[in-house]
Amino acid sequence: MILSNITVPLLGIVDTAVIGHLGSAHFLAAIALGATVISLLFWLAGFLRMSTTGLVAQAYGEKDYPQLAGLLKRSLVLALIVAFSLIALSPLIKNAIAYLSGSSAPVLAQAYSYFEIRIFSAPAALCNLVLLAWMLGVHYGKGPFYLLLVTNITNIVLDIYFVVYLDWQVAGAAWASLIADYTALLFALFLVFRLAKKMAVPLFLGGWFSRDKMWALLSLNRDIFIRSLILQLCFSFMTFYGARIGEVTLAVNAVLLNFLMLVSFALDGIAYASEAKVGQAKGQHSVRRINLWVKISVFWGMLFAFCYSVFFALFGSQIITLLTDIPEVIKAANEYLPWLIFMPLAAMSCFLFDGIFVGLTRAQDMRNTMLISALVGFFGVFWVFNAWQNHALWLAMTSFMLLRGVTLVVRYKQLQTTQQLLN
């Protein structure tokens, strides 16, 4: 799962690197704006992956194969409903980009171009979340690795071809990602059908639609959606406020957020494995195994976080120059690099315990701790230190990540003390 997730930031990194060498900051700013909006929408739908993983892992622990089939179908139907709703609402979302960012006309034109293409990858991208989650829930770790490898190789090759050789600029990066998403969907369906046949999961039996089970899925997804919405509001605030500070600041944050994405997906690799293992342990009604997997996850998370901080301290400047050759962006990005060196250590606990709470299907706890962390750790800190401009944004993001981890750890200890881990 670590190998799977560490490939994901390559999409954003390659997009940024290819566009970052077109010679103008407005191209890089545009892809930052367009990609942030797409990421916001798709990551808001991250509840599809989280709820599916937790419920599937628990059903797998109970060896309830009809339930495994029903969960897959219900989640895919929900994914398609959400995807086509996003496409229908895309004209309104497009207008919101200009209103919220206040960017220049050249930046907005390129951002619109990216958004108008990428939004049509929603059905594939959201179904891929469900299919990846299902494979993860049944402990098929190689499946997500193969899936993400196919997605990223396709995206990288097409990115270079469309942007560098055909000179399609920002639109080329969008087409590359769209084609990669649909290629991944076909491959994911193949993997899931093959795995279901091997496990004797009755995918084609009827009776999967139940009002009570669909409502239970929606209730779980509601709380995770709220949690994801709050998270994306914080990330989007960074991009849109950065755009108001200036074009260079927006481009700088686009470069530096790739560092955070790299950290998040590597640590999420451990968290995703925790989701599957903790969910299975809950399905087996074993508190001892839940606590065991939590301890193992924390050990590996601390190790990887420390390695990332050291790596960024040693090679952060070189990574920036790989992502862009625009002098003013390179100079400014190096000024904010210390925030990224400290970020892995500050953020480690929040990523890991997100995975643990997904496995426990404790969505309300995830929602509540995220709300506290955003109000106090992000917006509260930014309000106090807003005179620092972009430094205030990075201080707020660091505080936000740290407080998320602290509140989740405290809540886990409460559940442990009151013997509610299996509830």
Side-chain angles (χ1 to χ4, degrees):
M1 288 314 305
I2 294 169
L3 290 173
S4 299
N5 284 280
I6 208 167
T7 64
V8 174
L10 289 176
L11 270 118
I13 290 172
V14 171
D15 281 351
T16 303
V18 172
I19 298 299
H21 286 81
L22 289 181
S24 174
H26 85 263
F27 285 119
L28 194 53
I31 202 165
L33 201 55
T36 294
V37 175
I38 290 293
S39 296
L40 169 64
L41 298 176
F42 290 0
W43 278 98
L44 281 179
F47 62 82
L48 294 164
R49 191 205 63 74
M50 291 183 178
S51 61
T52 302
T53 301
L55 292 171
V56 167
Q58 291 176 23
Y60 181 71
E62 295 171 349
K63 301 189 184 302
D64 187 347
Y65 291 166
Q67 176 73 341
L68 289 177
L71 282 167
L72 177 63
K73 295 172 187 176
R74 287 190 290 273
S75 296
L76 283 173
V77 168
L78 186 57
L80 290 172
I81 291 172
V82 173
F84 287 113
S85 298
L86 290 178
I87 292 173
L89 292 170
S90 60
L92 294 175
I93 298 168
K94 178 182 166 184
N95 291 334
I97 296 174
Y99 177 76
L100 292 171
S101 69
S103 296
S104 63
V107 171
L108 282 176
Q110 294 292 333
Y112 287 162
S113 175
Y114 185 90
F115 174 78
E116 289 167 350
I117 296 166
R118 277 298 310 276
I119 193 64
F120 284 97
S121 68
L126 301 196
C127 285
N128 284 339
L129 288 177
V130 170
L131 295 168
L132 185 148
W134 195 87
M135 288 187 281
L136 175 59
V138 298
H139 290 50
Y140 183 49
K142 290 182 180 179
F145 174 68
Y146 296 147
L147 174 62
L148 294 171
L149 204 60
V150 166
T151 306
N152 287 302
I153 290 174
T154 304
N155 184 75
I156 289 168
V157 171
L158 293 179
D159 239 343
I160 295 170
Y161 181 66
F162 290 158
V163 177
V164 178
Y165 289 96
L166 297 185
D167 196 28
W168 287 3
Q169 298 178 347
V170 171
W175 277 112
S177 296
L178 182 142
I179 294 170
D181 279 333
Y182 280 98
T183 302
L185 175 60
L186 295 175
F187 186 64
L189 288 169
F190 165 74
L191 289 176
V192 166
F193 284 135
R194 188 180 69 171
L195 181 61
K197 183 178 179 180
K198 182 178 179 181
M199 294 173 58
V201 175
L203 284 184
F204 299 103
L205 283 184
W208 60 272
F209 186 85
S210 159
R211 180 179 296 179
D212 291 341
K213 289 182 177 179
M214 198 69 181
W215 182 250
L217 180 64
L218 287 170
S219 298
L220 179 62
N221 281 324
R222 176 200 63 210
D223 291 325
I224 298 179
F225 170 79
I226 294 170
R227 171 254 179 211
S228 300
L229 176 62
I230 298 168
L231 176 63
Q232 290 306 318
L233 283 175
C234 294
F235 276 98
S236 298
F237 184 86
M238 280 202 71
T239 297
F240 287 113
Y241 195 89
R244 291 186 176 276
I245 295 174
E247 193 173 274
V248 171
T249 299
L250 179 57
V252 165
N253 288 349
V255 170
L256 294 179
L257 280 172
N258 283 293
F259 284 71
L260 183 54
M261 290 300 104
L262 193 64
V263 172
S264 71
F265 283 106
L267 293 178
D268 270 342
I270 303 170
Y272 285 10
S274 300
E275 292 173 20
K277 291 296 185 183
V278 169
Q280 183 187 31
K282 184 175 179 178
Q284 295 169 338
H285 308 288
S286 174
V287 172
R288 183 187 65 81
R289 291 181 65 83
I290 291 173
N291 290 325
L292 173 65
W293 288 118
V294 169
K295 291 175 183 177
I296 292 172
S297 300
V298 170
F299 169 78
W300 285 110
M302 290 176 64
L303 181 62
F304 274 89
F306 176 76
C307 290
Y308 263 109
S309 290
V310 172
F311 181 75
F312 289 162
L314 295 175
F315 303 108
S317 296
Q318 290 89 325
I319 295 172
I320 290 170
T321 57
L322 285 174
L323 294 175
T324 181
D325 57 4
I326 302 168
E328 61 268 31
V329 174
I330 293 173
K331 181 181 178 181
N334 275 290
E335 180 184 343
Y336 300 106
L337 182 60
W339 292 111
L340 279 306
I341 294 172
F342 178 68
M343 188 70 75
L345 299 173
M348 183 272 294
S349 293
C350 74
F351 291 120
L352 297 189
F353 278 85
D354 262 353
I356 290 160
F357 275 75
V358 166
L360 295 172
T361 53
R362 303 283 308 191
Q364 287 187 1
D365 291 329
M366 296 174 69
R367 178 199 66 195
N368 295 342
T369 54
M370 182 66 77
L371 182 59
I372 293 168
S373 302
L375 289 176
V376 178
F378 187 87
F379 291 106
V381 168
F382 180 77
W383 181 75
V384 172
F385 295 97
N386 69 86
W388 294 4
Q389 295 284 305
N390 202 40
H391 278 294
L393 285 175
W394 283 105
L395 173 61
M397 181 57 68
T398 305
S399 303
F400 172 58
M401 293 290 185
L402 185 61
L403 189 56
R404 280 175 61 199
V406 170
T407 52
L408 285 168
V409 170
V410 169
R411 182 56 182 150
Y412 180 81
K413 291 294 184 183
Q414 290 174 344
L415 294 173
Q416 208 175 29
T417 303
T418 55
Q419 299 181 341
Q420 296 182 64
L421 288 175
L422 296 178
N423 293 349

